[in-house]
Amino acid sequence: MNYFSLNHNTPNVKFSEAVIRGLAPDKGLYFPESITPLPKELIDNIDSYSKEEIAFQAVRQFVGDEISENELRRIVAETINFDFPLVEVEPDIYSLELFHGPTLAFKDVGARFMARCLSTFSKFDEKKVTVLVATSGDTGGAVADGFLGVAGVDVVILYPSGKVSDIQERQLTTLGQNIKAFEVKGTFDDCQRMVKTAFLDEDLNKVLNLTSANSINVARWLPQMFYYFFAYQQLKDKSKKLVVSVPSGNFGNICAGMVAAKLGLPVSLFVASTNANKVVTEYLSTGAYEPKPSVQTISNAMDVGDPSNFVRIKQLHNADFNLLKSNLLSYSYSDFTTREVMAEVRERTGYILDPHGAVGYLGLKESLRNRPYAQGIFLETAHPCKFIDVVEETLNEKVVIPEKLQSLMERKKVSIVIDKDYDDLKQILLHQSDVLAV
Ligand SMILES: *Cc1c(COP(=O)(O)O)cnc(C)c1O
């Protein structure tokens, strides 16, 4: 499979090159040249396939022949070696729990898949790869865990100081080995801007083989489509129309869901549920796309003022605004409403929503109000204990921290504090390579 840049100003590349580069040289995001629907038989009989087989079939065309079938089957199996339960919260409303991976974040799947692809490609390459990634919280932990100890790869994580939760910070600052955390005195958007600038900096790229592990990277973005197949497989009643609500920040996850739909998965409507960072919600109602600085909310993994994957969503709909509107709704919710629904759902059903899942739940309920014939799934993207302060304060009860995270709290944080100034980052990366030496 070849990939083209959405800025259309650079040659098309193979999967491996798209993964190693992250962003295209013309600053565009890579996009697959074609998307061929899966055999209808696979979708119709999805109950009779293993999740490994479904995931392999779904991702295969996007990888092409650069990874052998056996190797790709192994990568896929290792990537998804945990559960993705679909839990009925109330009649016709399901939570797809994506927090059963090693860092309890849905980003585990993308990070694990990408790390394994990169490690396969680096066997053929002498030069070490440096993965540079900006995180609003969960990406960093998932990437750190997914890449920990991967030979031939160094990882540099930028995160906004004071704007990630305690557990999230531990997940990216305590692992050591090939993982380095830079604590930026700024916002997530500042971190993302610095990372994007670094990829295009020729001086830096002469010295380091840089790539990204944000959802701009096709190997992080595409495997997220697995969730939607796993959700559909677990639905008891497949005859009812299906609405899927995705709590969205950079819009990589929902965009992967739309790729799953292109492959033939019967999703009748997508809902992009957002917090106060609502550039897409406004775009769908006004037709004007106006990026804004991000504002801080209790669902901070979605505090994104200019979602990087939105260009891919436009591409999937041939830049046809009306087509997009027929396939995608978007709603935005305040922190107040989010907390209200967390308490209400806990009280009424017993289910604990994290703030991101709560935003997804709200968007789902709102879109089902006029669609009584439909059923809905919202994606629960993080374990409630990842946002323990908000959840405990809102529900007025203690949240149990799973054992796999408890030991983290005793480990020592190690970070490199820097200003939100690209040149500072560059100088450190260029001249203090001992900082990066493993
Ligand atoms: C990253 C993240 C999101 C947003 O996902 P996008 O693919 O960036 O839209 C939502 N919830 C949580 C918990 C996340 O970590």
Side-chain angles (χ1 to χ4, degrees):
M1 170 67 70
N2 283 334
Y3 289 77
F4 64 93
S5 161
L6 288 174
N7 283 353
H8 304 283
N9 215 354
T10 184
N12 295 3
V13 297
K14 288 189 155 195
F15 177 70
S16 60
E17 194 172 338
V19 176
I20 290 168
R21 282 185 178 275
L23 199 62
D26 64 355
K27 306 190 189 187
L29 270 66
Y30 282 117
F31 197 86
E33 272 182 348
S34 63
I35 299 176
T36 309
L38 293 172
K40 193 170 171 302
E41 188 275 333
L42 178 77
I43 310 286
D44 290 347
N45 301 305
I46 196 161
D47 291 353
S48 62
Y49 289 88
S50 68
K51 71 183 200 301
E52 288 79 9
E53 182 68 27
I54 295 165
F56 169 76
Q57 294 294 346
V59 83
R60 178 160 200 194
Q61 66 176 290
F62 298 100
V63 173
D65 57 9
E66 285 187 281
I67 298 180
S68 71
E69 170 165 349
N70 279 347
E71 179 103 351
L72 186 59
R73 282 187 184 276
R74 178 188 60 77
I75 291 174
V76 165
E78 287 177 13
T79 298
I80 57 171
N81 69 349
F82 44 87
D83 293 333
F84 302 83
L86 187 71
V87 176
E88 186 167 15
V89 174
E90 57 192 72
D92 287 332
I93 303 259
Y94 298 87
S95 167
L96 180 66
E97 295 187 348
L98 299 179
F99 55 71
H100 296 274
T103 76
L104 309 190
F106 85 92
K107 295 184 173 76
D108 281 328
V109 162
R112 292 163 72 78
F113 185 78
M114 181 182 162
R116 284 163 179 78
C117 289
L118 213 49
S119 147
T120 300
F121 298 143
S122 75
K123 280 181 203 147
F124 309 110
D125 198 336
E126 292 294 294
K127 206 167 156 195
K128 229 179 182 185
V129 176
T130 301
V131 172
L132 185 61
V133 63
T135 183
S136 56
D138 272 0
T139 301
V143 167
D145 185 89
F147 283 82
L148 182 66
V150 172
V153 183
D154 281 334
V155 177
V156 174
I157 300 168
L158 271 62
Y159 72 98
S161 181
K163 296 192 174 66
V164 304
S165 75
D166 195 22
I167 290 180
Q168 287 176 333
E169 187 168 37
R170 301 272 163 178
Q171 284 184 321
L172 41 109
T173 57
T174 63
L175 291 175
Q177 294 188 50
N178 56 334
I179 315 293
K180 302 288 176 296
F182 283 43
E183 185 173 350
V184 178
K185 292 188 233 158
T187 62
F188 169 66
D189 287 344
D190 293 322
C191 298
Q192 186 149 274
R193 179 182 41 77
M194 289 162 80
V195 164
K196 282 187 179 170
T197 312
F199 289 130
L200 301 162
D201 186 325
E202 285 180 17
D203 305 340
L204 201 57
N205 283 278
K206 266 183 223 146
V207 182
L208 300 171
N209 212 351
L210 281 184
T211 190
S212 92
N214 283 105
S215 51
I216 57 171
N217 195 302
V218 294
R220 254 285 316 274
W221 165 53
L222 286 168
Q224 303 181 101
M225 70 182 148
F226 300 161
Y227 309 138
Y228 301 83
F229 289 96
F230 299 163
Y232 181 70
Q233 185 184 38
Q234 293 174 74
L235 269 182
K236 280 178 297 195
D237 181 355
K238 296 186 174 46
S239 64
K240 273 190 186 173
K241 284 221 184 294
L242 176 61
V243 176
V244 178
S245 168
V246 186
S248 295
N250 257 324
F251 283 67
N253 196 0
I254 193 168
C255 186
M258 290 171 166
V259 174
K262 278 248 170 196
L263 291 177
L265 197 74
V267 176
S268 63
L269 184 67
F270 285 94
V271 182
S273 300
T274 62
N275 57 28
N277 297 281
K278 55 181 176 188
V279 46
V280 173
T281 313
E282 284 177 349
Y283 170 71
L284 288 178
S285 75
T286 66
Y289 185 87
E290 286 170 1
K292 306 234 164 65
S294 63
V295 296
Q296 205 178 334
T297 72
I298 56 169
S299 46
N300 65 35
M302 313 189 318
D303 293 353
V304 181
D306 185 7
S308 46
N309 283 288
F310 197 63
V311 286
R312 285 184 170 138
I313 291 183
K314 279 191 175 165
Q315 178 67 30
L316 275 168
H317 296 85
N318 308 320
D320 179 338
F321 185 62
N322 290 324
L323 179 64
L324 177 61
K325 277 187 76 149
S326 68
N327 192 30
L328 177 68
L329 299 180
S330 181
Y331 302 105
S332 149
Y333 299 97
S334 67
D335 283 354
F336 181 82
T337 307
T338 306
R339 285 184 192 268
E340 230 176 24
V341 86
M342 287 166 67
E344 191 271 325
V345 168
R346 174 65 169 150
E347 175 78 28
R348 179 169 48 85
T349 73
Y351 195 77
I352 299 182
L353 295 164
D354 99 290
H356 305 77
V359 169
Y361 173 89
L362 281 163
L364 182 60
K365 288 288 267 196
E366 191 152 349
S367 54
L368 287 181
R369 210 160 289 151
N370 303 322
R371 295 173 177 78
Y373 50 84
Q375 59 186 337
I377 294 172
F378 66 96
L379 273 47
E380 186 35 289
T381 45
H383 191 290
C385 81
K386 296 289 286 288
F387 300 89
I388 197 159
D389 296 348
V390 176
V391 175
E392 289 189 340
E393 187 185 282
T394 305
L395 303 185
N396 206 5
E397 63 179 286
K398 282 274 166 219
V399 172
V400 182
I401 300 182
E403 230 165 273
K404 47 181 157 183
L405 288 194
Q406 251 163 28
S407 62
L408 268 182
M409 303 312 286
E410 288 136 35
R411 301 182 62 154
K412 190 167 171 284
K413 165 184 160 182
V414 180
S415 71
I416 300 155
V417 182
I418 58 169
D419 283 321
K420 59 177 182 189
D421 178 9
Y422 172 67
D423 281 325
D424 283 6
L425 174 68
K426 178 173 175 173
Q427 291 316 315
I428 295 176
L429 291 178
L430 274 180
H431 301 297
Q432 301 191 17
S433 48
D434 52 315
V435 174
L436 300 176
V438 184

